[in-house]
Amino acid sequence: MAKGYWVCTGTIHTPLGMVSYISAFNSWLEAVGARLLVRDLFSDVREGEPGTVNVIVEFESREAAVAAYDSAEYQKLIELRTPHSDLSVTITEELTDH
């Protein structure tokens, strides 16, 4: 089964305001069986304006990634994050040979 991923890009406006979100997010990732693959707060952006934050989170499947995002627990975490950042989250899956 193909792994699912969150690809997150954007900007953090108030880094200290993100402390509670990051702490809760890291604990939540473990609880849902996800794995943080990339966390770069100062990415070298060459094209476009996605912001300098890049995060990639791996899940067992695309369905697991969608369920995790839609969960009540993560929806509460969004409320901690949004006052301090502008992030986009895309859910996708790995390329597999068919």
Side-chain angles (χ1 to χ4, degrees):
M1 179 181 292
K3 301 258 186 205
Y5 298 90
W6 288 5
V7 179
C8 312
T9 60
T11 303
I12 294 175
H13 303 292
T14 49
L16 288 177
M18 292 289 286
V19 171
S20 60
Y21 168 78
I22 291 168
S23 176
F25 180 72
N26 287 335
S27 296
W28 176 81
L29 282 178
E30 187 174 325
V32 297
R35 185 167 74 121
L36 190 62
L37 296 180
V38 173
R39 178 175 48 209
D40 186 352
L41 303 180
F42 305 101
S43 297
D44 181 1
V45 177
R46 297 297 174 109
E47 293 187 36
E49 296 181 29
T52 59
V53 173
N54 281 289
V55 176
I56 299 175
V57 181
E58 181 182 70
F59 295 85
E60 282 302 311
S61 65
R62 181 186 191 113
E63 293 78 14
V66 169
Y69 184 86
D70 290 342
S71 71
E73 295 84 4
Y74 189 70
Q75 294 303 305
K76 289 178 185 175
L77 290 178
I78 291 172
E79 293 174 15
L80 293 175
R81 185 192 78 216
T82 54
H84 309 290
S85 65
D86 290 316
L87 297 178
S88 71
V89 178
T90 301
I91 298 175
T92 189
E93 67 184 356
E94 74 180 321
L95 179 63
T96 58
D97 294 331
H98 294 282

